[in-house]
């Protein structure tokens, strides 16, 4: 018997599903908890820029993980069928992970932060295909996969400028706000952990440091203008300056 949900979010969002019904029965009084959280959350420190909030959130997750662990291997970025079935595609994902691993250096030089952000954005796009396979037709990765142009440089070129701006702001804020949680080498660290039930549907956490679960989430702001269309660059283009290309080599 197969599990009908492809992701944990899908199982929770289905009001008629068994998991949602269990959670509603087990935790029936969430509104006071949510209200208290919102009241203490403070003001918005980094506003949306128009970049996809889902991809932005996932990319920032990766940026945090690599800030804590330079050798982290993002398995969920290769689990999607169009990637997992191709050893050359898996190799590209590992190359992106190597570039993203530069985030372990602190503080990051500005040009290195851009490379790390681009690599994290590309890994987020790959992970989206695992968490929700139905997004493939509209994913920026679709044409690269279809045209056999799934290369490291092509994926690095996919991050729009507004996303890079947002990730830079989030990263600099995280260094201050999460300073007490960002580990030294002796910390007990679990970046992107999966769980026993992950074999039933796509589910992984963001980061666990010394027993503290750190989760980041992004969503559109209702009074924010609609996201604008970012011009797509040709996959062969190199939209970063020479100092970044030197890092890539």
């Amino acid at each position: 018997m197969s599990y009908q949900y492809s992701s944990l979010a899908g199982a929770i969002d289905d009001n008629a599903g068994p998991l949602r019904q269990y959670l509603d029965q087990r935790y029936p009084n969430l509104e006071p908890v949510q209200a208290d959280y919102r009241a203490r959350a403070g003001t918005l420190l980094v506003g949306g820029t128009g970049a996809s909030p889902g991809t932005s959130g996932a990319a920032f997750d990766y940026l945090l993980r690599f800030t804590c662990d330079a050798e982290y291997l993002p398995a969920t970025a290769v689990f999607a069928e169009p990637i997992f079935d191709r050893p050359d595609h898996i190799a590209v994902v590992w190359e992106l992970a190597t570039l993203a691993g530069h985030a372990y250096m602190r503080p990051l030089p500005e040009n290195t932060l851009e490379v790390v952000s681009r690599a994290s954005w590309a890994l987020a796009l790959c992970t989206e295909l695992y968490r929700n396979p139905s997004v493939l037709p509209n994913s920026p990765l679709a044409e690269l996969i279809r045209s056999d142009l799934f290369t490291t440089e092509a994926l690095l070129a996919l991050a729009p400028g507004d996303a890079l701006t947002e990730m830079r702001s989030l990263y600099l804020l995280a260094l201050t706000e999460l300073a007490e949680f960002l580990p030294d080498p002796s910390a007990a660290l679990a970046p992107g952990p999966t769980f026993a039930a992950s074999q039933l549907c796509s589910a992984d956490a963001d980061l666990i440091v010394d027993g503290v679960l750190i989760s980041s989430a992004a969503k559109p702001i209702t009074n924010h203008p609609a996201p604008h269309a970012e011009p797509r660059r040709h996959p062969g283009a190199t939209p970063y300056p020479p100092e970044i290309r030197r890092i890539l080599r």
Side-chain angles (χ1 to χ4, degrees):
M1 179 179 178
S2 61
Y3 192 64
Q4 70 181 94
Y5 302 101
S6 62
S7 69
L8 180 60
I12 294 175
D13 289 342
D14 183 1
N15 291 330
L19 178 57
R20 178 58 179 271
Q21 291 185 350
Y22 166 78
L23 292 174
D24 286 345
Q25 293 171 4
R26 180 67 178 80
Y27 306 101
N29 300 310
L30 287 181
E31 288 189 8
V33 177
Q34 293 171 333
D36 180 65
Y37 168 77
R38 294 190 187 100
R40 293 195 288 172
T43 59
L44 185 69
L45 298 178
V46 177
T49 60
S52 165
T55 308
S56 181
F60 181 62
D61 290 346
Y62 276 126
L63 184 53
L64 277 183
R65 296 175 195 183
F66 285 107
T67 298
C68 297
D69 184 358
E71 298 181 355
Y72 168 60
L73 293 178
T76 52
V78 302
F79 282 166
E81 186 175 320
I83 299 174
F84 193 74
D85 290 343
R86 292 280 301 269
D88 54 333
H89 289 178
I90 294 176
V92 167
V93 172
W94 294 153
E95 287 180 15
L96 292 170
T98 299
L99 292 173
H102 285 93
Y104 191 69
M105 299 185 299
R106 280 180 263 162
L108 273 179
E110 192 69 30
N111 60 325
T112 307
L113 176 56
E114 180 175 341
V115 173
V116 168
S117 297
R118 287 182 177 277
S120 297
W121 186 269
L123 291 170
L125 291 173
C126 295
T127 302
E128 286 176 355
L129 300 186
Y130 157 69
R131 290 176 174 166
N132 186 5
S134 65
V135 305
L136 177 58
N138 297 317
S139 169
L141 299 178
E143 182 58 30
L144 299 182
I145 294 172
R146 187 164 43 246
S147 304
D148 205 23
L149 294 172
F150 194 90
T151 66
T152 302
E153 189 161 273
L155 267 70
L156 288 172
L158 293 176
D162 49 5
L164 296 176
T165 299
E166 186 173 320
M167 289 186 65
R168 179 184 182 278
S169 298
L170 288 169
Y171 170 77
L172 295 176
L173 179 65
L175 290 184
T176 301
E177 297 294 318
L178 299 178
E180 63 180 297
F181 297 111
L182 295 178
D184 56 41
S186 62
L189 177 70
T194 55
F195 309 95
S198 297
Q199 61 184 324
L200 299 177
C201 65
S202 306
D204 61 290
D206 295 340
L207 182 66
I208 299 176
V209 179
D210 281 340
V212 177
L213 174 62
I214 299 176
S215 178
S216 63
K219 67 178 182 178
I221 303 170
T222 54
N223 61 352
H224 193 278
H228 62 271
E230 176 74 11
R232 296 264 180 99
R233 292 188 174 96
H234 188 277
T238 308
Y240 14 82
E243 61 266 29
I244 293 182
R245 292 201 293 273
R246 284 198 292 273
I247 294 176
L248 299 180
R249 295 193 188 101

